Amino acid sequence: MDKTVIIGCGFLGSKIFTNLKNNNKKVIGTNFQNTSNEFKKLDITNFDLVNSFLNKEKPDLVINCAANTDIDYLEKNEKFANMVNGIGVENIAKTCKEISSKLIHISTDSVFDGTQGLYKEEDDVKPINVYGKSKLLGEKLLQENLDDFIIIRTNLFGYHHQGKFLFNWILKNLKENKEFTGFEDIIFNPLEISFLSDLILKFGNMEYSGIVHLGSDEIINKYDFGCEVSDIFGFNKKLIKKDLLSIQV
Ligand SMILES: NC(=O)c1ccc[n+]([C@@H]2O[C@H](COP(=O)([O-])OP(=O)(O)OC[C@H]3O[C@@H](n4cnc5c(N)ncnc54)[C@H](OP(=O)(O)O)[C@@H]3O)[C@@H](O)[C@H]2O)c1
């Protein structure tokens, strides 16, 4: 790819951005609130802004990592969730069609309800929260507006510099010697963020269009995940209390 635009250089987007930069590739990144000299400011909910930005940059590949991932906030703000995670994606897809750019869009395993597990791309979706529903809306609007796309449904972990997400939360509790609960009946198969970033870029060079599930072949429950983190960093895993979410709800 000659030129890539990464929309939403947050946790994952900034990793992909750095990956491309380190390989001397032409890449432009955007953010929304956390603006810096490195990233341009773009609000994906505004079609005119998206359209003029992408028309100016004319990338071969757009990777959309922009989303609102604040599950609790979105639960109470469905309209906002649909605007960012739904309409925002539609705005990008419509413009990609206009300028003939390929779009890789990052979605989530939260489009499923989790009761079955090991989901295949053709399995029926059934999101259970507003975040998952809004991400699914984004997938749908994208597919209605663009042919040359890859939707990547995934889950990930890694160290976040601002302390967000599960991995940081586990580390913080362990460091502070605080007890916390790890649910044994919540299983997932996330990919390490650098590994996922490499994989996503490989898809940029593929002649493929459609939905792809990217996950680890190692399926793990949240209690065991916490214990592994504890072992690797040499903390006391007795701080992690085993529990079942199903008997709490
Ligand atoms: N992290 C996970 O565990 C996980 C798991 C599964 C799937 N995913 C998916 O992976 C993708 C990347 O997630 P992430 O963890 O990197 O999230 P993140 O760190 O919260 O980054 C989200 C990015 O979107 C930008 N953004 C938010 N609202 C925007 C708007 N209205 N217009 C333009 N940009 C906007 C943010 O900009 P500012 O920071 O400047 O506001 C930030 O750059 C998302 O699609 C998410 O659904 C993440």
Side-chain angles (χ1 to χ4, degrees), residues 118-163:
L118 294 175
Y119 289 98
K120 297 196 172 60
E121 285 77 357
E122 51 282 1
D123 282 337
D124 288 341
V125 286
K126 196 178 173 200
I128 51 169
N129 57 18
V130 170
Y131 167 67
K133 286 178 191 162
S134 67
K135 291 292 290 182
L136 185 59
L137 176 69
E139 289 189 7
K140 185 176 158 280
L141 293 173
L142 186 162
Q143 291 172 86
E144 283 171 10
N145 285 286
L146 186 66
D147 301 318
D148 193 8
F149 70 85
I150 298 178
I151 292 171
I152 294 180
R153 292 179 181 150
T154 190
N155 201 338
L156 59 126
F157 72 92
Y159 184 78
H160 188 274
H161 69 290
Q162 287 173 331

Side-chain angles (χ1 to χ4, degrees), residues 71-131:
I71 292 174
D72 295 335
Y73 178 78
L74 297 183
E75 209 50 41
K76 296 182 210 113
N77 296 279
E78 190 163 4
K79 238 183 169 172
F80 172 78
N82 290 338
M83 196 64 203
V84 180
N85 296 341
I87 303 296
V89 181
E90 181 181 40
N91 292 338
I92 297 167
K94 279 183 171 166
T95 308
C96 283
K97 171 114 182 163
E98 188 183 314
I99 62 172
S100 301
S101 291
K102 184 187 186 83
L103 174 60
I104 295 183
H105 170 67
I106 309 304
S107 192
T108 170
D109 57 359
S110 296
V111 297
F112 296 105
D113 66 6
T115 50
Q116 175 193 314
L118 294 175
Y119 289 98
K120 297 196 172 60
E121 285 77 357
E122 51 282 1
D123 282 337
D124 288 341
V125 286
K126 196 178 173 200
I128 51 169
N129 57 18
V130 170
Y131 167 67

Side-chain angles (χ1 to χ4, degrees), residues 7-14 30-35 42-45 64-70 80 84-85 105-110 131 135 152-157 160 162 164-165 193:
I7 301 180
C9 287
F11 188 29
L12 178 61
S14 62
T30 79
N31 256 345
F32 176 46
Q33 279 169 318
N34 291 313
T35 45
L42 181 69
D43 179 2
I44 58 168
T45 65
N64 179 38
C65 296
N68 191 298
T69 56
D70 188 340
F80 172 78
V84 180
N85 296 341
H105 170 67
I106 309 304
S107 192
T108 170
D109 57 359
S110 296
Y131 167 67
K135 291 292 290 182
I152 294 180
R153 292 179 181 150
T154 190
N155 201 338
L156 59 126
F157 72 92
H160 188 274
Q162 287 173 331
K164 288 192 339 185
F165 303 115
I193 190 164

